[in-house]
């Protein structure tokens, strides 16, 4: 028994065990390096897992040696591996900057608890992605959700508590819907193991219970995914949460919702049931496109830039939803790649907000005046990540939109392709507003502002460089997404 | 008419769960008082627990412990699942109540309309 065999368990166990240890460390100066170390180890494990999946194929790990369907198994295929890489990678990049970022927003006493809850949230998300057991997925979903509510509530603004409360109510309703769905499937199949479920569900097409289960899971995952029109919790939660929490959630939390949707639609229920019997495409594509337009339009009018980014997320999630709904190979690649790419760019943009808030105390349009000269590197990152959000060639945003349009054309839905391009044009407006203020208006004379400290700037730079790197070298993301789509049974 | 009645009585537990589910959701959506919202959420979750527990029932099944002469047993797995879900629900409730305390401290009220009234700063 070498340690390599147990990497799937360690992937979740390392942050889970690190969390309570962090709570015991009274001084944040000790808890912080510890949390950073834990997130780096977690990231290293997910890199190793990705390597194993690419060389040996899907890994099935039986927890405690109990074979499925009795025991809980962890299943890692290319889709899981990519999501694990995204979630743990984001944690590894953002965690070092957290100490400075939360210094202005979270009290000294609460900081060690901040690290504890952040690690728990990481554990939950990794668990959702890695597990092959439906009920286990619900439990991890609640672990990540409960810690998310607590993290949002740690924002300095008093509205953070109210935002966290609303998030809690809606998040719990979403998770409970998923629980009902899983219960109904269990009622019909007698199993909780996803692979086993998928097997037994093929004989149950046409059953009203299964149809209801599918609807419950679709709505529940839609709420968690902040899919329009169930996105109401997100703008406030992202606006009032501490900036680094917004960066981490913006990059990962909704992506995990997308994962649940993809896994249940394509894997557990099967594309045939979802598309031919439930016509899920007719739900996801119109709602996705509506979300893309509404999100972008609302984003244009926002004065608070964190809120603007949150509405921009509503739009980007709309693209992912539409891509999932296309149901063909290119569409699914677009969904998976966009989940990954949007994580990179939204992470970078929220980190820019964290830098600005650290120096200026707030991130609204007036505080951005003349920042192009005063914080050149930070604003450079904003421009690059912003271009990526629009979908300019040689950025990650272009790659995912390219596959999305290919998918739409492949499905014979050219109006969808046109609408995607049109809504992308809207994102030019909200990114340009900020660029215009930052570069073409004079800074106020009375405020002295300098570049953000390296601890925050380096993570921002890393994510920005990745936005370009994965836009040029698409082999990794698109390659893995292609493998993932094939392993989900969607062939070109 | 009698067919409808038998349909309802045969699925009495499921109907009960659905009614509780709707009641809970209605309370969450319509009440402005945050505590009442949490109570509604609890009713909503309890309905799901009932639904799950009813899945485990096997006709003429004995309690799932080894018994002399028992041939059929109830399925204990849904019960175990619900134990976990109850723990989650307790955690959610306590976190919600903690947030309500903070909202009360910050706004001086737990009525949603009053919070919105002087809440835009």
């Amino acid at each position: 028994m070498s340690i390599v065999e147990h990497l799937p368990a360690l992937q979740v166990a390392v942050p889970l065990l690190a969390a309570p240890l962090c709570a015991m460390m009274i001084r944040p100066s000790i808890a912080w390096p510890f949390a950073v170390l834990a997130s780096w180890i977690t990231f290293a494990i997910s890199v190793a897992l990705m390597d194993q999946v690419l060389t040996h194929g899907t890994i099935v790990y039986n927890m405690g040696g109990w074979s499925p369907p009795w025991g809980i198994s962890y299943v890692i295929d290319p889709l899981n591996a990519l999501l694990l890489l995204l979630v743990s990678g984001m944690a590894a990049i953002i965690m070092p900057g957290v100490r400075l970022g939360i210094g202005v927003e979270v009290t000294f006493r609460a900081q060690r608890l901040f690290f504890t809850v952040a690690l728990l949230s990481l554990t939950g998300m990794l668990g959702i992605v890695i597990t092959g057991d439906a009920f286990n997925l619900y439990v991890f979903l609640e672990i990540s959700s409960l810690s998310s509510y607590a993290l949002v509530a740690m924002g300095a603004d008093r509205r953070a508590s109210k935002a966290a409360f609303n998030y809690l109510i809606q998040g719990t309703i979403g998770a409970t819907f998923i629980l009902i769905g899983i219960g109904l499937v269990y009622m019909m199949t007698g199993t909780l193991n996803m692979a086993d479920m998928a097997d037994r569900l093929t004989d149950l097409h046409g059953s009203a219970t299964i149809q209801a289960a599918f609807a419950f899971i679709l709505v529940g995952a839609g709420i968690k995914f902040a899919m329009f029109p169930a996105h109401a919790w997100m703008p406030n939660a992202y606006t009032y949460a501490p900036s680094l929490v917004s960066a981490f959630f913006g990059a990962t939390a909704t992506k995990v919702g997308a994962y649940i949707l993809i896994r249940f639609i394509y894997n557990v229920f099967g594309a045939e049931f979802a598309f031919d019997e439930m016509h899920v495409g007719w739900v996801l594509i119109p709602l996705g496109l509506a979300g893309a337009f509404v999100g972008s339009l609302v984003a244009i009018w926002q004065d608070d830039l964190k809120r603007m980014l949150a509405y921009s997320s509503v739009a980007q999630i709309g693209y992912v939803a539409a891509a999932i709904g296309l149901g063909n190979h290119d569409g699914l690649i677009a969904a998976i790649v966009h989940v990954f790419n949007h994580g990179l760019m939204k992470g970078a943009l929220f980190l820019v907000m964290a830098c600005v808030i650290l120096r200026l105390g707030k991130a609204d349009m007036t505080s951005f005046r003349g920042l192009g000269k005063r914080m050149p590197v930070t604003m450079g990152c904003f421009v690059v990540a912003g271009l990526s959000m629009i979908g300019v060639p040689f950025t990650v945003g272009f790659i995912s939109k390219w596959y999305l349009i290919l998918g739409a054309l492949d499905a014979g839905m050219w109006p969808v392709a046109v609408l995607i391009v049109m809504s992308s044009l809207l994102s030019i407006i909200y990114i340009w507003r900020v660029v215009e203020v930052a570069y073409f208006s004079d800074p106020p004379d009375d405020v002295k502002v300098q570049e953000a400290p390296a601890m925050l700037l380096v993570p921002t730079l890393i994510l920005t460089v990745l936005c370009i790197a994965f836009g040029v070298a698409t082999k990794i993301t698109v390659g893995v997404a292609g493998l993932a789509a094939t392993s989900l049974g969607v062939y070109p | 008419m009698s067919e409808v009645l038998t349909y309802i009585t045969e699925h009495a537990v499921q109907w009960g769960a659905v009614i509780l589910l709707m009641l809970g959701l209605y309370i969450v959506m319509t009440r402005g008082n945050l505590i009442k919202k949490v109570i509604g959420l609890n009713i909503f979750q309890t309905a799901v627990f009932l639904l799950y527990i009813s899945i485990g029932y096997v006709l003429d099944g004995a309690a799932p412990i080894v018994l002399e002469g028992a041939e059929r047993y109830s399925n204990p797995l849904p019960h175990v699942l619900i134990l976990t879900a109850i723990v989650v629900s307790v955690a959610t409730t306590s976190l919600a109540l903690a947030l309500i305390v903070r909202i009360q401290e910050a706004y001086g009220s737990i009525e949603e309309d009053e919070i919105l009234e002087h809440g835009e700063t």
Side-chain angles (χ1 to χ4, degrees), chain A residues 312-332:
Chain A
S312 142
S313 277
V314 174
Q316 303 294 324
I317 285 163
Y319 295 132
V320 177
I324 296 173
L326 285 172
N328 54 26
H329 189 71
D330 283 338
L332 193 52

Side-chain angles (χ1 to χ4, degrees), chain A residues 225-228 231 233-235 238-239 246-255 288 291-299 302 305-321 338 342-343 345-347 349-350 389 427 430-431:
Chain A
F225 181 32
M227 196 175 90
F228 178 82
H231 65 280
W233 58 267
M234 192 174 73
Y238 283 12
T239 310
S246 310
F248 182 55
F249 284 174
T252 56
T254 49
K255 310 301 173 290
F293 275 96
V294 172
S296 299
L297 281 173
V298 178
Q302 297 307 317
L305 293 185
K306 274 171 83 179
R307 188 179 285 276
M308 179 193 89
L309 291 181
Y311 276 108
S312 142
S313 277
V314 174
Q316 303 294 324
I317 285 163
Y319 295 132
V320 177
H338 199 50
H342 179 235
M345 45 200 185
K346 208 29 88 56
L349 287 172
F350 270 121
M389 192 63 75
S427 56
Y430 64 74
I431 297 293

Side-chain angles (χ1 to χ4, degrees), chain A residues 404-425:
Chain A
L404 184 52
I405 289 169
L406 280 185
L409 293 177
D410 191 33
M413 299 185 195
W414 61 266
V416 174
V418 174
L419 289 172
I420 289 163
V421 175
M422 278 169 64
S423 61
S424 298
L425 295 178

Side-chain angles (χ1 to χ4, degrees), chain A residues 243-265:
Chain A
S243 309
L244 283 142
V245 171
S246 310
F248 182 55
F249 284 174
T252 56
T254 49
K255 310 301 173 290
V256 171
Y259 165 80
I260 299 176
L261 217 51
I262 295 176
R263 178 63 73 198
F264 273 95
I265 287 181

Side-chain angles (χ1 to χ4, degrees), chain A residues 4 48 51 176 186 212 221 227 251 296 316 334 337 368 401 442 462 476:
Chain A
V4 178
D51 180 55
T176 310
Y186 175 73
M227 196 175 90
S296 299
Q316 303 294 324
V337 170
F368 267 75
K401 291 228 173 93
D442 293 325
I462 293 175
I476 308 165

Side-chain angles (χ1 to χ4, degrees), chain A residues 215-435:
Chain A
F216 270 118
I217 290 176
L218 185 67
V219 174
I223 294 176
K224 284 285 166 198
F225 181 32
M227 196 175 90
F228 178 82
H231 65 280
W233 58 267
M234 192 174 73
N236 277 335
Y238 283 12
T239 310
Y240 301 123
S243 309
L244 283 142
V245 171
S246 310
F248 182 55
F249 284 174
T252 56
T254 49
K255 310 301 173 290
V256 171
Y259 165 80
I260 299 176
L261 217 51
I262 295 176
R263 178 63 73 198
F264 273 95
I265 287 181
Y266 286 96
N267 211 179
V268 176
F269 286 97
E272 195 192 328
F273 172 82
F275 286 94
D276 298 341
E277 197 174 323
M278 299 300 286
H279 304 290
V280 74
W282 287 105
V283 179
L284 290 177
I285 295 175
L287 286 182
L289 289 175
F293 275 96
V294 172
S296 299
L297 281 173
V298 178
I300 292 173
W301 303 107
Q302 297 307 317
D303 185 53
D304 186 324
L305 293 185
K306 274 171 83 179
R307 188 179 285 276
M308 179 193 89
L309 291 181
Y311 276 108
S312 142
S313 277
V314 174
Q316 303 294 324
I317 285 163
Y319 295 132
V320 177
I324 296 173
L326 285 172
N328 54 26
H329 189 71
D330 283 338
L332 193 52
I333 288 184
I336 298 167
V337 170
H338 199 50
V339 159
F340 189 84
N341 290 349
H342 179 235
L344 294 180
M345 45 200 185
K346 208 29 88 56
L349 287 172
F350 270 121
L351 279 178
V352 168
M353 296 305 141
C355 292
V356 173
I357 286 177
L358 184 71
R359 284 300 185 219
L360 288 154
K362 57 188 191 312
D364 54 9
M365 287 303 274
T366 45
S367 58
F368 267 75
R369 286 179 58 192
L371 270 192
K373 292 193 191 78
R374 302 194 155 183
M375 300 172 80
V377 184
T378 312
M379 279 315 294
C381 292
F382 182 88
V383 172
V384 173
L387 286 176
S388 183
M389 192 63 75
I390 297 165
V392 174
F394 303 112
T395 60
V396 282
F398 176 72
I399 307 301
S400 25
K401 291 228 173 93
W402 175 256
Y403 276 95
L404 184 52
I405 289 169
L406 280 185
L409 293 177
D410 191 33
M413 299 185 195
W414 61 266
V416 174
V418 174
L419 289 172
I420 289 163
V421 175
M422 278 169 64
S423 61
S424 298
L425 295 178
L426 289 175
S427 56
I428 297 180
I429 303 177
Y430 64 74
I431 297 293
W432 172 255
R433 278 168 72 224
V434 183
V435 172

Side-chain angles (χ1 to χ4, degrees), chain A residues 153-177:
Chain A
M154 283 185 181
D157 196 299
R158 69 172 178 170
R159 281 171 290 182
S161 310
K162 189 69 188 29
F165 185 81
N166 284 347
Y167 184 13
L168 181 142
I169 295 283
Q170 296 182 28
T172 306
I173 291 175
T176 310
F177 270 29

